[in-house]
Amino acid sequence: MAHELKQAKAKLVAKILAPAATETEFGHVANNTFKYDYKKQFNQFHTADQMAGFLIALYDSDKTIGEISTKDFSFSLKDGVLPYSDNPLQNQKS
């Protein structure tokens, strides 16, 4: 979708933020507890503020994907990871 929007010179832009463990209220809700401790549950995680920074970096970039590595929790910006046909009409009947 991101490639098709760029090709069409659309004002709308599609991007993906692929986070890893992030310290939010979701841990409390998903585990139905008020005392969910991310430090006890995860070896490593990002804070919501850190994730917001990653989201802003993705938004401000010309990249399509903001990815958090599950190995070392580093953040990287990437172009699309799947090939694009460059012409979505080429495989449609005329």
Side-chain angles (χ1 to χ4, degrees), residues 7-71:
Q7 184 180 24
K9 295 182 173 57
K11 290 182 180 180
L12 180 66
V13 175
K15 296 190 177 201
I16 298 170
L17 178 61
T22 305
E23 185 180 28
T24 66
E25 291 182 11
F26 180 77
H28 302 276
V29 174
N31 292 283
N32 197 28
T33 182
F34 290 107
K35 296 187 178 192
Y36 189 80
D37 188 346
Y38 276 83
K39 291 178 184 174
K40 288 182 181 178
Q41 298 299 323
F42 295 97
N43 292 325
Q44 194 168 2
F45 58 89
H46 287 110
T47 66
D49 285 344
Q50 289 171 314
M51 196 57 61
F54 300 148
L55 183 60
I56 290 169
L58 174 61
Y59 177 83
D60 288 341
S61 77
D62 63 345
K63 302 297 183 181
T64 304
I65 299 170
E67 180 182 49
I68 307 294
S69 167
T70 56
K71 293 180 182 175

